[in-house]
Amino acid sequence: MSEDGPQRKRPNILITGTPGTGKTTTAAMIAEKISFLRHLNVGELIKEHKCYEGRDEELETNILDEDKLLDLLEGLLDKAAEHDEGVVIDFHMPMIFPERWFDLVLVLRTKTELLFDRLTARGYGDKKRDENMEAEIMQVILEEAREGYATEIVHEVASNSIEDMEQNIQRVTEWSKQWIEDNQDS
């Protein structure tokens, strides 16, 4: 959201975690359950709007153009606020977003044996899979979220099963209702 953008009446949520932890699925399920939240899949937006500067062949990934992505997202967040909506964004790099954008940051964590299988099923090459496994083991994304956002809005949650996802969605649903009640008059 731009600093002088519209006043928000709905919360914005970031779902983050290592690739393969279930960010997109969780975010989509939250947006489906909570009618005033719009899901923004950052990976798809990057592809659709060509928010990259080239390709890293070794890691089999595009090189992100952060400025282009942030400009795009800022406009989408402002538009959501104008339409009395909040957003649920999923992306694996929490540190690139301004802290003011989010009211809740969920960091999804997955057991390494499950994550290994998920990344293998996605067809990740050894180097890319190993790098992501190491990031999960070393809690890289959790630490980035803790460093980049207020402690009270960052929550580490399990994402090993459908039951975990359902519990996370229920927690976010309850949290959203409370956020709206707490922020009615602001």
Side-chain angles (χ1 to χ4, degrees), residues 19-84:
T21 55
K23 296 177 298 298
T24 301
T25 302
T26 300
M29 291 171 74
I30 288 169
E32 186 177 308
K33 172 107 176 164
I34 305 172
S35 61
F36 58 78
L37 287 179
R38 186 170 154 221
H39 177 210
L40 297 178
N41 179 330
V42 173
E44 290 301 315
L45 289 171
I46 289 169
K47 291 176 195 168
E48 181 182 336
H49 296 276
K50 296 181 176 34
C51 298
Y52 46 84
E53 302 171 327
R55 182 134 177 101
D56 182 331
E57 294 301 335
E58 187 178 359
L59 289 176
E60 306 164 32
T61 190
N62 291 321
I63 300 167
L64 180 62
D65 181 339
E66 289 183 23
D67 291 335
K68 187 172 182 178
L69 174 63
L70 293 175
D71 288 345
L72 171 67
L73 286 171
E74 188 169 72
L76 293 172
L77 269 71
D78 283 348
K79 188 178 288 189
E82 288 168 7
H83 290 101
D84 199 25

